[in-house]
Amino acid sequence: MAEHEDSSVSSLDAGYDLDRPTLATARAALEGFYGPHTEDIWRTLLSHSGLTGDEGEPWALGRLISTMQTGDPITRLCARGLAVRAAVYERLVQRAK
């Protein structure tokens, strides 16, 4: 056993400094890929998802991710990253309870 252990590293009560991914998170991720072309892509994704972009509930991000998964390769890659981030967030929140 190590001479000095930092118990805060594995402690669940230490919490996680994570924010729930949102539509704003998705838009920011798309901007990283598409830059100045993001607005058109964003509007198209929202329209195909049946969203306004103002939704704050977790289901809205799930719906957007589903739509993104049917898009072009870059949009699908972005969707995969968002899906992983959302799943990790949910698992960590459940584990911390």
Side-chain angles (χ1 to χ4, degrees), residues 34-71:
Y34 292 106
H37 305 289
T38 303
E39 189 61 33
D40 291 337
I41 293 164
W42 181 246
R43 279 192 236 137
T44 299
L45 288 169
L46 290 176
S47 175
H48 290 176
S49 300
L51 300 170
T52 65
D54 295 324
E55 296 84 357
E57 298 84 0
W59 62 262
L61 180 63
R63 185 183 291 179
L64 182 70
I65 289 170
S66 293
T67 300
M68 290 172 69
Q69 290 170 335
T70 66

Side-chain angles (χ1 to χ4, degrees), residues 3-27:
E3 194 173 303
H4 177 278
E5 288 186 26
D6 184 358
S7 62
S8 67
V9 172
S10 63
S11 174
L12 290 178
D13 63 346
Y16 300 97
D17 188 20
L18 297 175
D19 293 325
R20 177 185 301 275
T22 64
L23 293 180
T25 308
R27 185 180 174 116

